[in-house]
Amino acid sequence: LLGNAPLRSVTVRYTRYPVASWKTLFGKFPGLTTLVIEGEELDAPADDIFGGVFDALAPSPNVENVPLPRLSILRFKNVPWREETLRAIIDCVRRRSEMELRLSQLRLEMTGREQTDPDVESVHQAMLAELTSLSLDSVVYVDSQPSDDSDD
């Protein structure tokens, strides 16, 4: 439909696509600078919720066609807070950084973090520190409430 349109920003609201679908999307719009991924409030592992997005964004270093080489802003919106989700994001950002594809901003708007549990808070802070260490200009974390509103 849009072919190789010169889009700079895309929001994906349904995330359960296989890695091949993500690769096709990223291949159609190589000039994207901003990618917004809206999560789902479901009881499912991060791999199930996000499908192949992490593998498509950060393939192994020997891949010839690097996905979204101009991507500078990655935003996760309305994503359930889970340790495995944060770990997958860290791994994705790290692999992109190793390929000299550094983000300027990572924005995480996550829901459902147990803020009164000291163990969860400790893991959370350590993971945010790890993200910050990956040469990002800006890591923004927001505890948000689940919403269907996607107008911002």
Side-chain angles (χ1 to χ4, degrees):
L1 172 66
L2 296 174
N4 290 312
L7 295 179
R8 297 289 176 240
S9 178
V10 166
T11 298
V12 180
R13 290 194 180 109
Y14 181 80
T15 58
R16 291 176 185 233
Y17 299 113
V19 68
S21 296
W22 287 106
K23 285 181 180 180
T24 298
L25 171 70
F26 298 157
K28 291 282 185 188
F29 308 110
L32 284 181
T33 58
T34 302
L35 177 63
V36 180
I37 298 173
E38 290 193 23
E40 301 174 54
E41 284 296 317
L42 300 172
D43 270 340
D47 288 346
D48 291 344
I49 293 174
F50 295 106
V53 69
F54 296 121
D55 286 335
L57 271 175
S60 62
N62 58 358
V63 170
E64 284 184 33
N65 295 324
V66 177
L68 304 182
R70 295 186 183 120
L71 185 66
S72 61
I73 299 171
L74 180 58
R75 178 180 173 198
F76 291 88
K77 182 178 178 186
N78 199 29
V79 174
W81 189 97
R82 294 191 182 129
E83 185 175 343
E84 69 263 20
T85 303
L86 275 176
R87 177 58 49 205
I89 292 168
I90 289 168
D91 291 343
C92 177
V93 170
R94 177 179 290 112
R95 288 188 305 191
R96 285 187 68 86
S97 292
E98 289 168 355
M99 293 185 292
E100 303 297 322
L101 299 169
R102 289 182 176 84
L103 298 170
S104 63
Q105 184 184 86
L106 175 66
R107 184 172 177 89
L108 304 170
E109 299 171 30
M110 303 183 94
T111 62
R113 180 169 65 96
E114 182 55 57
Q115 298 177 40
T116 58
D117 184 330
D119 293 333
V120 169
E121 185 62 22
S122 175
V123 166
H124 174 75
Q125 292 302 323
M127 293 179 120
L128 290 182
E130 190 171 353
L131 278 168
T132 302
S133 74
L134 293 172
S135 301
L136 299 173
D137 294 336
S138 173
V139 176
V140 177
Y141 178 86
V142 176
D143 282 310
S144 64
Q145 297 298 316
S147 87
D148 293 325
D149 182 13
S150 58
D151 292 334
D152 58 308

PDB file of all heavy atoms in Angstrom, residues 79-101:
ATOM      1  N   VAL A  79       3.220  -0.898  28.047  1.00  0.00           N
ATOM      2  CA  VAL A  79       3.827  -2.222  28.086  1.00  0.00           C
ATOM      3  C   VAL A  79       3.828  -2.716  29.529  1.00  0.00           C
ATOM      4  O   VAL A  79       4.269  -2.001  30.423  1.00  0.00           O
ATOM      5  CB  VAL A  79       5.275  -2.158  27.544  1.00  0.00           C
ATOM      6  CG1 VAL A  79       5.986  -3.475  27.715  1.00  0.00           C
ATOM      7  CG2 VAL A  79       5.252  -1.733  26.091  1.00  0.00           C
ATOM      8  N   PRO A  80       3.351  -3.934  29.764  1.00  0.00           N
ATOM      9  CA  PRO A  80       3.386  -4.466  31.124  1.00  0.00           C
ATOM     10  C   PRO A  80       4.823  -4.592  31.631  1.00  0.00           C
ATOM     11  O   PRO A  80       5.693  -5.085  30.905  1.00  0.00           O
ATOM     12  CB  PRO A  80       2.740  -5.845  30.988  1.00  0.00           C
ATOM     13  CG  PRO A  80       1.993  -5.821  29.706  1.00  0.00           C
ATOM     14  CD  PRO A  80       2.718  -4.857  28.820  1.00  0.00           C
ATOM     15  N   TRP A  81       5.073  -4.121  32.860  1.00  0.00           N
ATOM     16  CA  TRP A  81       6.409  -4.241  33.442  1.00  0.00           C
ATOM     17  C   TRP A  81       6.654  -5.699  33.777  1.00  0.00           C
ATOM     18  O   TRP A  81       5.906  -6.318  34.527  1.00  0.00           O
ATOM     19  CB  TRP A  81       6.543  -3.408  34.721  1.00  0.00           C
ATOM     20  CG  TRP A  81       7.968  -3.362  35.197  1.00  0.00           C
ATOM     21  CD1 TRP A  81       8.853  -2.365  34.961  1.00  0.00           C
ATOM     22  CD2 TRP A  81       8.671  -4.341  35.970  1.00  0.00           C
ATOM     23  NE1 TRP A  81      10.071  -2.663  35.526  1.00  0.00           N
ATOM     24  CE2 TRP A  81       9.986  -3.881  36.152  1.00  0.00           C
ATOM     25  CE3 TRP A  81       8.330  -5.574  36.510  1.00  0.00           C
ATOM     26  CZ2 TRP A  81      10.951  -4.581  36.852  1.00  0.00           C
ATOM     27  CZ3 TRP A  81       9.297  -6.289  37.212  1.00  0.00           C
ATOM     28  CH2 TRP A  81      10.591  -5.783  37.379  1.00  0.00           C
ATOM     29  N   ARG A  82       7.688  -6.228  33.200  1.00  0.00           N
ATOM     30  CA  ARG A  82       8.140  -7.589  33.505  1.00  0.00           C
ATOM     31  C   ARG A  82       9.653  -7.601  33.371  1.00  0.00           C
ATOM     32  O   ARG A  82      10.202  -6.978  32.468  1.00  0.00           O
ATOM     33  CB  ARG A  82       7.545  -8.596  32.524  1.00  0.00           C
ATOM     34  CG  ARG A  82       6.056  -8.727  32.648  1.00  0.00           C
ATOM     35  CD  ARG A  82       5.568  -9.919  31.850  1.00  0.00           C
ATOM     36  NE  ARG A  82       4.127  -9.963  31.970  1.00  0.00           N
ATOM     37  CZ  ARG A  82       3.314 -10.048  30.941  1.00  0.00           C
ATOM     38  NH1 ARG A  82       3.784 -10.111  29.721  1.00  0.00           N
ATOM     39  NH2 ARG A  82       2.017 -10.087  31.129  1.00  0.00           N
ATOM     40  N   GLU A  83      10.284  -8.331  34.217  1.00  0.00           N
ATOM     41  CA  GLU A  83      11.742  -8.421  34.155  1.00  0.00           C
ATOM     42  C   GLU A  83      12.193  -8.935  32.793  1.00  0.00           C
ATOM     43  O   GLU A  83      13.136  -8.407  32.200  1.00  0.00           O
ATOM     44  CB  GLU A  83      12.262  -9.323  35.276  1.00  0.00           C
ATOM     45  CG  GLU A  83      13.763  -9.367  35.352  1.00  0.00           C
ATOM     46  CD  GLU A  83      14.283 -10.158  36.539  1.00  0.00           C
ATOM     47  OE1 GLU A  83      13.517 -10.409  37.495  1.00  0.00           O
ATOM     48  OE2 GLU A  83      15.472 -10.523  36.490  1.00  0.00           O
ATOM     49  N   GLU A  84      11.514  -9.959  32.267  1.00  0.00           N
ATOM     50  CA  GLU A  84      11.949 -10.519  30.978  1.00  0.00           C
ATOM     51  C   GLU A  84      11.742  -9.531  29.824  1.00  0.00           C
ATOM     52  O   GLU A  84      12.488  -9.548  28.844  1.00  0.00           O
ATOM     53  CB  GLU A  84      11.287 -11.864  30.667  1.00  0.00           C
ATOM     54  CG  GLU A  84       9.805 -11.794  30.382  1.00  0.00           C
ATOM     55  CD  GLU A  84       8.926 -12.115  31.584  1.00  0.00           C
ATOM     56  OE1 GLU A  84       9.399 -12.042  32.733  1.00  0.00           O
ATOM     57  OE2 GLU A  84       7.749 -12.432  31.354  1.00  0.00           O
ATOM     58  N   THR A  85      10.757  -8.654  29.947  1.00  0.00           N
ATOM     59  CA  THR A  85      10.556  -7.634  28.912  1.00  0.00           C
ATOM     60  C   THR A  85      11.710  -6.632  28.943  1.00  0.00           C
ATOM     61  O   THR A  85      12.287  -6.295  27.899  1.00  0.00           O
ATOM     62  CB  THR A  85       9.217  -6.902  29.097  1.00  0.00           C
ATOM     63  OG1 THR A  85       8.160  -7.856  29.080  1.00  0.00           O
ATOM     64  CG2 THR A  85       8.990  -5.873  28.006  1.00  0.00           C
ATOM     65  N   LEU A  86      12.053  -6.167  30.135  1.00  0.00           N
ATOM     66  CA  LEU A  86      13.186  -5.246  30.251  1.00  0.00           C
ATOM     67  C   LEU A  86      14.482  -5.910  29.783  1.00  0.00           C
ATOM     68  O   LEU A  86      15.303  -5.280  29.108  1.00  0.00           O
ATOM     69  CB  LEU A  86      13.342  -4.754  31.687  1.00  0.00           C
ATOM     70  CG  LEU A  86      12.489  -3.558  32.072  1.00  0.00           C
ATOM     71  CD1 LEU A  86      12.653  -3.231  33.548  1.00  0.00           C
ATOM     72  CD2 LEU A  86      12.817  -2.344  31.237  1.00  0.00           C
ATOM     73  N   ARG A  87      14.675  -7.175  30.113  1.00  0.00           N
ATOM     74  CA  ARG A  87      15.881  -7.886  29.687  1.00  0.00           C
ATOM     75  C   ARG A  87      15.925  -7.961  28.156  1.00  0.00           C
ATOM     76  O   ARG A  87      16.972  -7.740  27.548  1.00  0.00           O
ATOM     77  CB  ARG A  87      15.907  -9.293  30.300  1.00  0.00           C
ATOM     78  CG  ARG A  87      17.063 -10.162  29.887  1.00  0.00           C
ATOM     79  CD  ARG A  87      18.447  -9.650  30.172  1.00  0.00           C
ATOM     80  NE  ARG A  87      18.634  -9.188  31.520  1.00  0.00           N
ATOM     81  CZ  ARG A  87      19.555  -8.281  31.879  1.00  0.00           C
ATOM     82  NH1 ARG A  87      20.363  -7.751  30.986  1.00  0.00           N
ATOM     83  NH2 ARG A  87      19.669  -7.894  33.115  1.00  0.00           N
ATOM     84  N   ALA A  88      14.792  -8.235  27.518  1.00  0.00           N
ATOM     85  CA  ALA A  88      14.748  -8.307  26.048  1.00  0.00           C
ATOM     86  C   ALA A  88      15.056  -6.943  25.430  1.00  0.00           C
ATOM     87  O   ALA A  88      15.759  -6.856  24.416  1.00  0.00           O
ATOM     88  CB  ALA A  88      13.383  -8.810  25.589  1.00  0.00           C
ATOM     89  N   ILE A  89      14.565  -5.871  26.049  1.00  0.00           N
ATOM     90  CA  ILE A  89      14.852  -4.516  25.553  1.00  0.00           C
ATOM     91  C   ILE A  89      16.343  -4.214  25.705  1.00  0.00           C
ATOM     92  O   ILE A  89      16.984  -3.696  24.784  1.00  0.00           O
ATOM     93  CB  ILE A  89      13.984  -3.471  26.279  1.00  0.00           C
ATOM     94  CG1 ILE A  89      12.505  -3.654  25.886  1.00  0.00           C
ATOM     95  CG2 ILE A  89      14.452  -2.049  25.967  1.00  0.00           C
ATOM     96  CD1 ILE A  89      11.520  -2.877  26.737  1.00  0.00           C
ATOM     97  N   ILE A  90      16.913  -4.555  26.846  1.00  0.00           N
ATOM     98  CA  ILE A  90      18.344  -4.341  27.077  1.00  0.00           C
ATOM     99  C   ILE A  90      19.171  -5.094  26.041  1.00  0.00           C
ATOM    100  O   ILE A  90      20.093  -4.538  25.430  1.00  0.00           O
ATOM    101  CB  ILE A  90      18.742  -4.771  28.504  1.00  0.00           C
ATOM    102  CG1 ILE A  90      18.175  -3.789  29.525  1.00  0.00           C
ATOM    103  CG2 ILE A  90      20.267  -4.894  28.642  1.00  0.00           C
ATOM    104  CD1 ILE A  90      18.270  -4.279  30.966  1.00  0.00           C
ATOM    105  N   ASP A  91      18.835  -6.353  25.811  1.00  0.00           N
ATOM    106  CA  ASP A  91      19.582  -7.155  24.841  1.00  0.00           C
ATOM    107  C   ASP A  91      19.480  -6.563  23.440  1.00  0.00           C
ATOM    108  O   ASP A  91      20.462  -6.512  22.697  1.00  0.00           O
ATOM    109  CB  ASP A  91      19.096  -8.605  24.850  1.00  0.00           C
ATOM    110  CG  ASP A  91      19.462  -9.336  26.136  1.00  0.00           C
ATOM    111  OD1 ASP A  91      20.351  -8.852  26.875  1.00  0.00           O
ATOM    112  OD2 ASP A  91      18.855 -10.386  26.406  1.00  0.00           O
ATOM    113  N   CYS A  92      18.296  -6.096  23.076  1.00  0.00           N
ATOM    114  CA  CYS A  92      18.079  -5.485  21.765  1.00  0.00           C
ATOM    115  C   CYS A  92      18.919  -4.211  21.614  1.00  0.00           C
ATOM    116  O   CYS A  92      19.619  -4.033  20.615  1.00  0.00           O
ATOM    117  CB  CYS A  92      16.592  -5.177  21.587  1.00  0.00           C
ATOM    118  SG  CYS A  92      16.186  -4.335  20.059  1.00  0.00           S
ATOM    119  N   VAL A  93      18.863  -3.347  22.614  1.00  0.00           N
ATOM    120  CA  VAL A  93      19.618  -2.085  22.562  1.00  0.00           C
ATOM    121  C   VAL A  93      21.121  -2.376  22.544  1.00  0.00           C
ATOM    122  O   VAL A  93      21.882  -1.735  21.817  1.00  0.00           O
ATOM    123  CB  VAL A  93      19.232  -1.173  23.748  1.00  0.00           C
ATOM    124  CG1 VAL A  93      20.156   0.026  23.853  1.00  0.00           C
ATOM    125  CG2 VAL A  93      17.779  -0.714  23.605  1.00  0.00           C
ATOM    126  N   ARG A  94      21.548  -3.365  23.311  1.00  0.00           N
ATOM    127  CA  ARG A  94      22.968  -3.719  23.349  1.00  0.00           C
ATOM    128  C   ARG A  94      23.428  -4.221  21.973  1.00  0.00           C
ATOM    129  O   ARG A  94      24.477  -3.798  21.472  1.00  0.00           O
ATOM    130  CB  ARG A  94      23.245  -4.797  24.386  1.00  0.00           C
ATOM    131  CG  ARG A  94      24.724  -5.240  24.386  1.00  0.00           C
ATOM    132  CD  ARG A  94      25.069  -6.295  25.401  1.00  0.00           C
ATOM    133  NE  ARG A  94      25.013  -5.711  26.718  1.00  0.00           N
ATOM    134  CZ  ARG A  94      24.098  -6.022  27.643  1.00  0.00           C
ATOM    135  NH1 ARG A  94      23.182  -6.917  27.389  1.00  0.00           N
ATOM    136  NH2 ARG A  94      24.113  -5.450  28.823  1.00  0.00           N
ATOM    137  N   ARG A  95      22.659  -5.107  21.358  1.00  0.00           N
ATOM    138  CA  ARG A  95      23.056  -5.632  20.040  1.00  0.00           C
ATOM    139  C   ARG A  95      23.111  -4.518  19.002  1.00  0.00           C
ATOM    140  O   ARG A  95      24.008  -4.487  18.169  1.00  0.00           O
ATOM    141  CB  ARG A  95      22.108  -6.744  19.596  1.00  0.00           C
ATOM    142  CG  ARG A  95      22.318  -8.033  20.405  1.00  0.00           C
ATOM    143  CD  ARG A  95      21.542  -9.182  19.853  1.00  0.00           C
ATOM    144  NE  ARG A  95      20.121  -8.847  19.748  1.00  0.00           N
ATOM    145  CZ  ARG A  95      19.164  -9.726  19.494  1.00  0.00           C
ATOM    146  NH1 ARG A  95      19.453 -10.979  19.295  1.00  0.00           N
ATOM    147  NH2 ARG A  95      17.908  -9.342  19.430  1.00  0.00           N
ATOM    148  N   ARG A  96      22.151  -3.599  19.047  1.00  0.00           N
ATOM    149  CA  ARG A  96      22.187  -2.466  18.107  1.00  0.00           C
ATOM    150  C   ARG A  96      23.417  -1.593  18.382  1.00  0.00           C
ATOM    151  O   ARG A  96      24.079  -1.143  17.454  1.00  0.00           O
ATOM    152  CB  ARG A  96      20.905  -1.646  18.188  1.00  0.00           C
ATOM    153  CG  ARG A  96      19.724  -2.342  17.504  1.00  0.00           C
ATOM    154  CD  ARG A  96      18.508  -1.477  17.428  1.00  0.00           C
ATOM    155  NE  ARG A  96      18.645  -0.344  16.537  1.00  0.00           N
ATOM    156  CZ  ARG A  96      18.417  -0.370  15.227  1.00  0.00           C
ATOM    157  NH1 ARG A  96      18.052  -1.481  14.635  1.00  0.00           N
ATOM    158  NH2 ARG A  96      18.564   0.719  14.509  1.00  0.00           N
ATOM    159  N   SER A  97      23.725  -1.365  19.642  1.00  0.00           N
ATOM    160  CA  SER A  97      24.899  -0.554  19.991  1.00  0.00           C
ATOM    161  C   SER A  97      26.180  -1.210  19.494  1.00  0.00           C
ATOM    162  O   SER A  97      27.085  -0.534  19.014  1.00  0.00           O
ATOM    163  CB  SER A  97      24.984  -0.351  21.500  1.00  0.00           C
ATOM    164  OG  SER A  97      23.940   0.461  21.949  1.00  0.00           O
ATOM    165  N   GLU A  98      26.253  -2.524  19.603  1.00  0.00           N
ATOM    166  CA  GLU A  98      27.436  -3.247  19.133  1.00  0.00           C
ATOM    167  C   GLU A  98      27.603  -3.129  17.625  1.00  0.00           C
ATOM    168  O   GLU A  98      28.709  -3.270  17.110  1.00  0.00           O
ATOM    169  CB  GLU A  98      27.355  -4.720  19.544  1.00  0.00           C
ATOM    170  CG  GLU A  98      27.542  -4.921  21.028  1.00  0.00           C
ATOM    171  CD  GLU A  98      27.184  -6.318  21.511  1.00  0.00           C
ATOM    172  OE1 GLU A  98      26.677  -7.145  20.701  1.00  0.00           O
ATOM    173  OE2 GLU A  98      27.387  -6.588  22.709  1.00  0.00           O
ATOM    174  N   MET A  99      26.514  -2.852  16.905  1.00  0.00           N
ATOM    175  CA  MET A  99      26.572  -2.663  15.455  1.00  0.00           C
ATOM    176  C   MET A  99      26.672  -1.182  15.102  1.00  0.00           C
ATOM    177  O   MET A  99      26.405  -0.789  13.973  1.00  0.00           O
ATOM    178  CB  MET A  99      25.335  -3.278  14.790  1.00  0.00           C
ATOM    179  CG  MET A  99      25.287  -4.788  14.894  1.00  0.00           C
ATOM    180  SD  MET A  99      23.903  -5.518  13.971  1.00  0.00           S
ATOM    181  CE  MET A  99      22.497  -4.964  14.905  1.00  0.00           C
ATOM    182  N   GLU A 100      27.015  -0.351  16.119  1.00  0.00           N
ATOM    183  CA  GLU A 100      27.134   1.104  15.932  1.00  0.00           C
ATOM    184  C   GLU A 100      25.796   1.757  15.571  1.00  0.00           C
ATOM    185  O   GLU A 100      25.757   2.761  14.862  1.00  0.00           O
ATOM    186  CB  GLU A 100      28.195   1.441  14.879  1.00  0.00           C
ATOM    187  CG  GLU A 100      29.573   0.887  15.193  1.00  0.00           C
ATOM    188  CD  GLU A 100      30.167   1.460  16.471  1.00  0.00           C
ATOM    189  OE1 GLU A 100      29.989   2.652  16.735  1.00  0.00           O
ATOM    190  OE2 GLU A 100      30.821   0.691  17.208  1.00  0.00           O
ATOM    191  N   LEU A 101      24.704   1.186  16.040  1.00  0.00           N
ATOM    192  CA  LEU A 101      23.360   1.722  15.804  1.00  0.00           C
ATOM    193  C   LEU A 101      22.786   2.183  17.136  1.00  0.00           C
ATOM    194  O   LEU A 101      21.890   1.565  17.694  1.00  0.00           O
ATOM    195  CB  LEU A 101      22.450   0.654  15.171  1.00  0.00           C
ATOM    196  CG  LEU A 101      22.896   0.120  13.825  1.00  0.00           C
ATOM    197  CD1 LEU A 101      22.082  -1.095  13.425  1.00  0.00           C
ATOM    198  CD2 LEU A 101      22.794   1.206  12.766  1.00  0.00           C
TER     199      LEU A 101
END
